[in-house]
Amino acid sequence: MSPVDRSGPRLRLRELTVGDVDAVYAIYGSPEATAHLSFEPRSHDDVGRIVSRSITSATASPRSEYAVAVEKRESGEVIGFGRLATDPHQPGAATFGFALRPDTWGAGYGQEMVDLLLGLGFEEIGLHRVWGARSPLNEASARTMSTAGMTEEGIIREHIQKNGVWRDSVVHAILDREWRALHQSA
């Protein structure tokens, strides 16, 4: 597969570059942005290592991770981070995750980003199933995934330990045929 370069009306998914560390840090280093994610805010050095690992993973063959920058098409400003990761134990399936910089919340970017990530998974990678897990308290993520056509499948009990406390995760998933049915008339 060629490098990721997928656009929607306002956003573009593209491969990460070393120049994206500060933009990703604005998300992954933010206590607000990571409040519902599975990890504590990352240090700038941690984010540098994440971006470096993601750049390296883009050249793997076969490729199992698609970690991408999410930028505004008009300005090229990176406002989000998205990820699809395949699992050799789940052929044709991938987990996904997404995060936006807090100052961009509420503008519909999350919905467009999820649609672009799912399109990447089904239309370009050829996946059968994509699933993601969210914090039970993250209602915005629940609405975003539901609007994208994902089905809430259940709860993984005490799945994540954060701040020394175990928390559940709510699983959402969509199948390729469900994705195609939603996008046939589009």
Side-chain angles (χ1 to χ4, degrees), residues 7 14 38 45-46 126 129 133 141-142 144 186:
S7 294
R14 64 161 173 79
S38 62
D45 287 344
D46 290 339
R129 172 184 161 84
S141 184
T144 297

Side-chain angles (χ1 to χ4, degrees), residues 32-144:
E32 186 178 11
T34 58
H36 295 299
L37 298 180
S38 62
F39 53 85
E40 300 298 325
R42 306 285 195 198
S43 71
H44 195 273
D45 287 344
D46 290 339
V47 171
R49 286 187 287 277
I50 290 166
V51 169
S52 179
R53 185 192 78 231
S54 297
I55 292 168
T56 300
S57 75
T59 63
S61 183
R63 187 171 180 179
S64 62
E65 180 183 49
Y66 299 81
V68 295
V70 180
E71 68 180 21
K72 290 183 179 179
R73 282 182 62 186
E74 285 188 17
S75 66
E77 175 188 14
V78 175
I79 62 166
F81 183 88
R83 182 175 178 269
L84 282 164
T86 61
D87 180 343
H89 304 292
Q90 298 178 38
T95 59
F96 91 128
F98 56 96
L100 284 169
R101 204 175 61 214
D103 66 321
T104 66
W105 292 353
Y109 291 127
Q111 189 63 58
E112 187 173 342
M113 176 173 44
V114 167
D115 286 340
L116 287 168
L117 285 167
L118 292 175
L120 171 65
F122 293 122
E123 296 170 9
E124 295 182 42
I125 302 171
L127 296 171
H128 170 66
R129 172 184 161 84
V130 175
W131 69 278
R134 66 169 174 87
S135 161
L137 300 176
N138 192 342
E139 290 301 320
S141 184
R143 284 189 304 275
T144 297

Side-chain angles (χ1 to χ4, degrees), residues 10-47:
R10 299 179 299 161
L11 298 178
R12 175 182 173 226
L13 301 183
R14 64 161 173 79
E15 300 289 354
L16 287 161
T17 69
V18 293
D20 294 325
V21 172
D22 289 340
V24 175
Y25 178 68
I27 302 161
Y28 277 11
S30 164
E32 186 178 11
T34 58
H36 295 299
L37 298 180
S38 62
F39 53 85
E40 300 298 325
R42 306 285 195 198
S43 71
H44 195 273
D45 287 344
D46 290 339
V47 171

